[in-house]
Amino acid sequence: LAKTTQPISMDSYEGQEVNITCSHNNIATNDYITWYQQFPSQGPRFIIQGYKTKVTNEVASLFIPADRKSSTLSLPRVSLSDTAVYYCLVGDQSGNTPLVFGKGTRLSVIA
Amino acid sequence: GAVVSQHPSRVICKSGTSVKIECRSLDFQATTMFWYRQFPKQSLMLMATSNEGSKATYEQGVEKDKFLINHASLTLSTLTVTSAHPEDSSFYICSWGPPRQETQYFGPGTRLLVL
């Protein structure tokens, strides 16, 4: 499974847009890019997944350049409740493949 | 999204005792599931992969005789921490990988504290 590199931590004020970039230089052709969110003492929660270009859902947007060696999770107008750890994962993400978590990015949203 | 439950949500036990953690998928079935553990301020670490009806595959450094996995059905798996010691205190999280889904669904986790 491809390794990922993310910033260890980020701070943001409420109402701002937050962009978290993840590097995955060794991503394979069949790999998808998935982002999870984890609050303290809770299991990870799926946020968004993409393969290329841009994906948007009600929570976030995911931007993936043509070479797919990186991706950016965009959280619009964050609130205090978005304070969490965000994990970027790459892999075929089939139901039979375990997920390999990196260190994640600890986002702190400040009032 | 799919719902996964874990029971208990937290447990405190004495050193040397055994603790069983249940993980259920409530609204879907899946053959494959995974157990992870997470120490404070650290990321999730895969412990084992389990397929219904087969023996679990453990990651290097995880003792199969200490962490017993019983994958009883397509919706239920249990992890038993045998002869627990304080160093086993951790946050244990299960996940299921439904077929034809490109994501996994995680349980809420079980906080184990061994005194």
Side-chain angles (χ1 to χ4, degrees), chain A residues 36 38 41 49 96-97 102, chain B residues 32 36 38 43 102-104 111:
Chain A
Y36 284 86
Q38 187 183 27
S41 295
Q49 185 179 75
N96 300 324
T97 305
Chain B
T32 304
Y36 297 81
Q38 186 176 33
S43 187
E102 287 158 354
T103 187
Q104 291 179 18
R111 175 78 57 193

Side-chain angles (χ1 to χ4, degrees), chain A residues 32-101:
Chain A
Y32 283 75
I33 300 156
T34 309
W35 286 79
Y36 284 86
Q37 174 192 56
Q38 187 183 27
F39 297 113
S41 295
Q42 294 188 28
R45 184 175 75 103
F46 171 85
I47 301 176
I48 196 167
Q49 185 179 75
Y51 184 81
K52 61 181 178 180
T53 63
K54 177 184 174 182
V55 180
T56 298
N57 61 23
E58 64 277 7
V59 177
S61 293
L62 179 59
F63 298 92
I64 305 168
D67 66 5
R68 304 203 323 125
K69 293 184 182 299
S70 67
S71 59
T72 299
L73 173 72
S74 181
L75 304 172
R77 298 180 298 280
V78 294
S79 63
L80 296 175
S81 62
D82 292 318
T83 295
V85 178
Y86 292 82
Y87 294 98
C88 162
L89 293 93
V90 296
D92 63 25
Q93 310 292 36
S94 70
N96 300 324
T97 305
L99 297 176
V100 178
F101 284 80

Side-chain angles (χ1 to χ4, degrees), chain A residues 26-32 51 68:
Chain A
N26 298 320
I27 189 169
T29 303
N30 295 331
D31 286 345
Y32 283 75
Y51 184 81
R68 304 203 323 125

